[in-house]
Every structure is written in C-alpha cells, then in structure tokens.
Amino acid sequence: MRGGERNDMCRIERETGEERERWRRWGMGLKRLGERRVEKLKSSMVSRSRMKLCMIRAATTVLLWTCLVQLIALSGMWGPRVLKGWPTFFSQDSAALDVKLSSAVPIRVLPPKRVYKNNGYLMVSCNGGLNQMRAAICDMVAVARYLNVTLIVPELDKTSFWADPSEFQDIFDADHFITSLRDEVRILKELPPRLKKRVELGMMYTMPPISWSDISYYHNQILPLIQKYKVVHLNRTDARLANNGLPMEIQKLRCRVNFIALRFTSQIEELGRRVIRLLRQNGPFLVLHLRYEMDMLAFSGCTQGCNSEEVEELTRMRYAYPWWKEKIINSDLKRKDGLCPLTPEETSLALTALDIDRNVQIYIAAGEIYGGERRMASLAAAYPKLVRKETLLEPSDLRFFQNHSSQMAALDYLVSLESDIFVPTYDGNMAKVVEGHRRYLGFKKTILLDRRLLVELIDRHNSESLSWDEFSSAVKETHADRMGSPTKRLVMPDRPKEEDYFYANPQECLEISDEPLTSST
C-alpha cells in the first residue's frame, strides 16, 4: 500500500476512533443525565410519599382528637368508662396537657335517662312570687314522675302584683334543670310540633288541681285526663301537693328538685357571690327579711304605725285586686293574733332584746319599705350598719334586674342562704323556703320570731308595765328553741293549711343526729 493511502487510512481510523469516543462520551453523558433524572424522579416520588404519609398522619391525629373530644362532650355514664380503657399511646407531655385541660374544664357526668312508657304531657302555669313558684315547680316534677308523663318547662306568673315578665330560663338554669333530673322524669322546653299546634288551637284540657292533694288524687283524677287528651294544663300550682302522708321517694324527689335541680342562672349566681364577698369583707352579717312592703300590707290589712293617708292607699289597693278575697280587715285584732308582719320599729326592739350586736351588718332582703326613711329611722338608729343590694352594688350591676322582681328576689335568696343569721319578720313563702334550705345546709341559725307573743310583750313594754330587763329576758326565753334547730313537722290532717309546711322543714331529707327531735308547737 502506498504511503498516501496509509496516511488516509490512519486519518480515517483516528477520525473513526474520535467519533466513537465522542459517541461513547455522549452516551455516558446521556446515561448520567438519565441517572440524574431517575434519581430526581425517585427523590420526587419519595418526597411525595413522605408528604402523603405526613398528611395521612396529620389527618389521623386530627380525627383521633376529634373523636376524643366528641366522646368527652357526650360524657354520659358510658363515656368515662370508654375513656378509662383508652390506649395510652399519648406522650407524657400529652398526658400532662390532658390533666391540665381536665382540671380546667371538669367533665360533667350526666345521670342515665330513665326509660318509661310516656302517658302524655303535663303543662303547668305557676302563680305567685318567686318562692311560691319554686315550691310549686318541685311539686309538679314529683307529680310528673309519679304519673310517668313528660313535663314541659313550667311557665312563670306574669300577671301577679309584681308583673314580672321573666321566663323560667331568665331565673333558673333550664339546661341544668332538665339534665339533672333526666333519670327521674323527661322534661322538654316545649311540646313536640304536632302537639304544640293542637295546643295553639285550644285542643287541650285546662284546670286547677285541688289544694293539698295526696298523690293518689293525681293518679286517679289527673292521669286519666292526660291519657285522654294527651296534654293537660294545670293553671294553678301553689300548694297543690300535701305536706305529709306521701311516699318517701316523692318527698326526697321534692328536695332534690329544690336543692339541686333549681339552680339560678350564672348571671344571678355571680352577682349573688359578689354581694356575699362584699359583706364578708366587713365580717359577719345578718339577713333581715323585712316583709314591710306595700303589697304585703295591703293584702294583710295590717296598718300599724301608718297614717290615715297610707291606710286609705292600702285599702284602695286591696280592693283593686279581686283575687285578694279578704277586704274588710281589723288591723289591731289581726296583729294581736300574730298574723301581721312586724313593723320596722317592732323588729328593732326584738333584735335589741335578743342581744344582736349593734355593730353587725344587717342586709335588708326586701323591696321598698313602705313609709321609707320615716319608718326605718328607729331600726337605723339601733343598727347603723344597714345595707341593701342597691347600696352595695353599682346601678349598672342591677340594670338588667330592674323591673324583674323575681330576679331581684333570687339575689336576696342567695345572700340569705349564706348569712350567719337569717331573721324573717313574716312567715311568707320566702321565709319558709329559705328556712328549709338553711336546715338542709346544716341547720344554719334562723331566728323564727314569735309574732303573737312579741307584740304582746312590746305593748306591755311600751306601756311601761314591763321593764327593759324583763322584756329582754322574756324575748330570749321565748326564742331559745326557735333558732332553726332540728324539729318534727306538726301534722294536722284535717287542717293542712295550718300544719307545718314541708318546704320549711323537709325532715325526710335532712341529716339528723340520733338525738330525739322536739315537736313543733
């Protein structure tokens, strides 16, 4: 082969080798690029998988916490049992957080619902003031339980002298009332729609039950009406259930409603606690339920110490209310029989004779005292530390309670329960119900003034036939056994209105020592 051809061949081989090298390098580059892309793809897939796994874990955690919160919210009788056996997969920090949360927001355990065949629906319209309605509500819950019917949340009186427009839920915690009694009776805020429409069309039976009735009356007379009409409306509920002769479970249920289920709204409770704190800052305090208000005097016809214009005004008011049946009243005779509320002047003498410290705070649990400062002058002179909710609180605190006498009475009720001494000057509904509640709380000191004997002693002292020392000794002796200590209720089967009131002394519900009880006289 010629030299030129060899050179050409060598050049071709070099070019071919270089070309192959370029192709090899290009292939290697492509391979590396593919590998990098594959690595990126793998990395992307791993990232997406991790992201999906994180999202699944987050969703699972949220779902588990949601289930846990829902279980706690339901918290029926089975709830705590389920949670008690829950797997302990939470960390110690989570467990510590759970403890903090549980201590801050306690789990409310509801009683199990009572299951029974519903015989119908009972609607009730209460009449009177706050404490008269309170006792009536307790009675009607007991009646509904005994008859196996559904009770509709009671309607409160808006047409009485006080004309308070408050609804049940404005004064009492309605949800607590319903849930705390659900193991005894089913209570609804309103009728089911179908029955509600029937009631709106007047298709229900309305009647006032007979006063002081035994529970058998409701079984024999009221239950057949409920079964027939499905809905029965009792339009007067005061004193409609007997004081005595009822099954023990009925008596205990009345107490449970009164002392546990009937809780005031949080707004009323908080304001009551504030008044009590303000009083406690200055030491012990006595609550005086001075029932010397215009409505009481007009109703009772008691005019001791009133001038002629006031007597005429009270008489006109008594005739203006047709349901106040007694019109012609001899005030002097009624007072001597102990049927009149003590006047502020008489109250001052009684407290002084009982050696009540003149420096003690006296909280006046009442509305506007008839005669104002003129009638309060002697009491204020004897006890200069007289206070009222209106003097302890700012006007803004009571703004929402104005013209709502039952809500104002609820404040006085709470303060009365917590006082060191409670002294009512008349045995009306508030005096009786507070007396019974204070017995339930451990027989707190309640001075039950004997008005009949007191006015006799006061008249003798004022006429100077009885010295102060003799007067004071007689008052102390009379009231030695009238301080709210344990006693038996006086039972008068033929005169239920005159026997001791169940709510003033619910003896079936009280924890009493083995010492024998004295009989009420």
Side-chain angles (χ1 to χ4, degrees):
M1 186 178 293
R2 288 180 297 193
E5 291 176 346
R6 282 198 302 268
N7 290 334
D8 290 338
M9 288 294 293
C10 289
R11 187 177 69 252
I12 290 170
E13 287 177 358
R14 282 196 306 272
E15 289 176 354
T16 303
E18 289 173 358
E19 187 70 22
R20 283 199 300 268
E21 182 65 18
R22 283 198 301 271
W23 277 104
R24 187 182 67 79
R25 290 177 181 175
W26 183 81
M28 290 294 293
L30 183 62
K31 182 179 180 182
R32 290 194 191 99
L33 179 61
E35 288 175 351
R36 284 199 297 271
R37 287 183 178 177
V38 169
E39 288 175 0
K40 286 183 180 180
L41 182 59
K42 288 181 178 179
S43 176
S44 176
M45 290 175 66
V46 170
S47 298
R48 289 179 183 176
S49 298
R50 287 178 179 173
M51 186 179 296
K52 286 182 180 179
L53 182 60
C54 290
M55 290 177 68
I56 290 171
R57 286 177 179 174
T60 303
T61 302
V62 171
L63 180 61
L64 288 173
W65 275 105
T66 303
C67 292
L68 182 61
V69 170
Q70 289 296 323
L71 285 171
I72 294 173
L74 290 173
S75 67
M77 290 300 293
W78 54 270
R81 296 173 187 170
V82 172
L83 296 177
K84 191 174 182 181
W86 200 266
T88 55
F89 57 83
F90 298 108
S91 66
Q92 291 182 352
D93 291 339
S94 297
L97 179 61
D98 276 354
V99 171
K100 289 181 181 179
L101 288 174
S102 63
S103 61
V105 184
I107 299 174
R108 183 184 176 196
V109 179
L110 300 177
K113 288 184 179 180
R114 176 170 170 260
V115 179
Y116 60 92
K117 179 183 177 182
N118 183 33
N119 287 319
Y121 295 82
L122 180 64
M123 299 177 65
V124 296
S125 294
C126 302
N127 57 296
L130 173 66
N131 293 285
Q132 183 173 317
M133 294 191 291
R134 184 187 185 103
I137 292 167
C138 299
D139 286 353
M140 292 301 107
V141 170
V143 168
R145 166 64 176 83
Y146 187 80
L147 300 183
N148 285 334
V149 299
T150 297
L151 178 69
I152 306 304
V153 167
E155 179 187 20
L156 303 187
D157 193 346
K158 302 176 183 62
T159 61
S160 66
F161 166 80
W162 300 276
D164 188 339
S166 299
E167 301 288 353
F168 184 96
Q169 61 270 19
D170 297 324
I171 301 173
F172 300 108
D173 184 336
D175 291 329
H176 174 74
F177 175 69
I178 293 170
T179 56
S180 65
L181 292 169
R182 69 185 208 155
D183 60 328
E184 292 286 358
V185 63
R186 183 181 179 221
I187 304 174
L188 300 178
K189 291 184 178 180
E190 59 181 19
L191 287 167
R194 178 178 58 84
L195 291 175
K196 185 178 180 181
K197 186 173 182 180
R198 289 182 58 187
V199 168
E200 289 171 351
L201 296 174
M203 298 172 63
M204 68 173 176
Y205 192 88
T206 300
M207 62 172 290
I210 297 174
S211 298
W212 309 114
S213 296
D214 185 83
I215 197 69
S216 61
Y217 160 79
Y218 289 92
H219 184 272
N220 297 331
Q221 302 295 325
I222 305 300
L223 181 57
L225 294 172
I226 295 176
Q227 291 173 328
K228 179 179 179 180
Y229 295 98
K230 299 302 179 186
V231 181
V232 166
H233 175 223
L234 302 182
N235 57 12
R236 290 183 68 87
T237 56
D238 61 318
R240 304 294 152 158
L241 196 56
N243 290 308
N244 303 293
L246 299 176
M248 181 62 75
E249 59 269 21
I250 293 293
Q251 300 291 57
K252 287 187 175 292
L253 179 56
R254 294 164 94 179
C255 292
R256 179 177 167 185
V257 181
N258 191 22
F259 304 133
I260 298 174
L262 282 179
R263 187 170 69 189
F264 293 122
T265 64
S266 57
Q267 294 86 348
I268 294 174
E269 293 271 353
E270 175 54 37
L271 199 56
R273 285 193 292 268
R274 195 189 310 177
V275 173
I276 294 164
R277 284 196 301 269
L278 292 170
L279 288 165
R280 286 280 177 227
Q281 289 173 4
N282 297 313
F285 67 95
L286 177 151
V287 167
L288 179 64
H289 183 45
L290 189 61
R291 193 69 169 94
Y292 202 77
E293 299 140 314
M294 186 177 184
D295 67 294
M296 183 71 247
L297 301 180
F299 172 75
S300 64
C302 298
T303 58
Q304 178 74 14
C306 297
N307 58 40
S308 57
E309 289 81 7
E310 290 171 337
V311 172
E312 185 178 344
E313 181 181 37
L314 294 172
T315 303
R316 284 199 306 269
M317 182 177 180
R318 183 163 66 252
Y319 277 89
Y321 289 89
W323 52 88
W324 292 355
K325 297 180 180 179
E326 194 176 11
K327 303 299 182 184
I328 301 174
I329 300 173
N330 186 315
S331 176
D332 291 335
L333 289 176
K334 200 163 188 177
R335 174 176 174 269
K336 288 181 179 179
D337 287 337
L339 300 176
C340 286
L342 293 179
T343 67
E345 297 87 355
E346 292 167 342
T347 302
S348 174
L349 289 171
L351 294 179
T352 305
L354 289 168
D355 288 340
I356 300 297
D357 186 353
R358 78 181 307 270
N359 292 313
V360 73
Q361 299 174 95
I362 295 184
Y363 176 92
I364 304 296
E368 185 177 353
I369 302 303
Y370 193 65
E373 293 183 4
R374 176 178 66 85
R375 298 305 302 271
M376 291 292 288
S378 61
L379 184 60
Y383 294 94
K385 293 185 178 179
L386 295 180
V387 295
R388 305 169 62 95
K389 51 187 170 292
E390 292 84 356
T391 60
L392 291 170
L393 298 170
E394 297 295 329
S396 58
D397 294 325
L398 294 171
R399 182 172 68 252
F400 296 107
F401 295 85
Q402 297 298 329
N403 301 319
H404 293 83
S405 60
S406 291
Q407 296 183 45
M408 296 287 259
L411 285 176
D412 286 341
Y413 187 96
L414 289 172
V415 180
S416 298
L417 289 184
E418 293 299 321
S419 63
D420 297 283
I421 305 174
F422 177 64
V423 184
T425 61
Y426 186 74
D427 57 351
N429 288 290
M430 176 166 174
K432 291 176 179 176
V433 177
V434 169
E435 175 194 346
H437 205 148
R438 286 173 67 83
R439 288 178 182 272
Y440 178 79
L441 294 174
F443 299 96
K444 291 187 173 185
K445 191 171 185 179
T446 301
I447 302 178
L448 305 170
L449 298 174
D450 186 335
R451 296 188 304 280
R452 183 172 183 175
L453 186 58
L454 267 177
V455 297
E456 179 187 344
L457 293 173
I458 288 171
D459 288 347
R460 289 174 60 190
H461 171 66
N462 288 338
S463 65
E464 300 183 353
S465 64
L466 201 64
S467 69
W468 174 258
D469 289 341
E470 292 172 327
F471 170 72
S472 180
S473 296
V475 171
K476 290 173 186 172
E477 183 180 354
T478 299
H479 294 89
D481 296 325
R482 297 176 65 88
M483 299 288 177
S485 55
T487 60
K488 290 183 179 179
R489 282 199 309 272
L490 177 65
V491 179
M492 303 173 68
D494 55 335
R495 289 182 290 172
K497 291 184 180 180
E498 299 176 34
E499 68 182 0
D500 288 344
Y501 189 42
F502 172 81
Y503 291 102
N505 184 14
Q507 61 191 35
E508 295 89 339
C509 312
L510 307 180
E511 293 186 7
I512 304 173
S513 64
D514 295 333
E515 298 179 4
L517 302 181
T518 59
S519 297
S520 299
T521 55

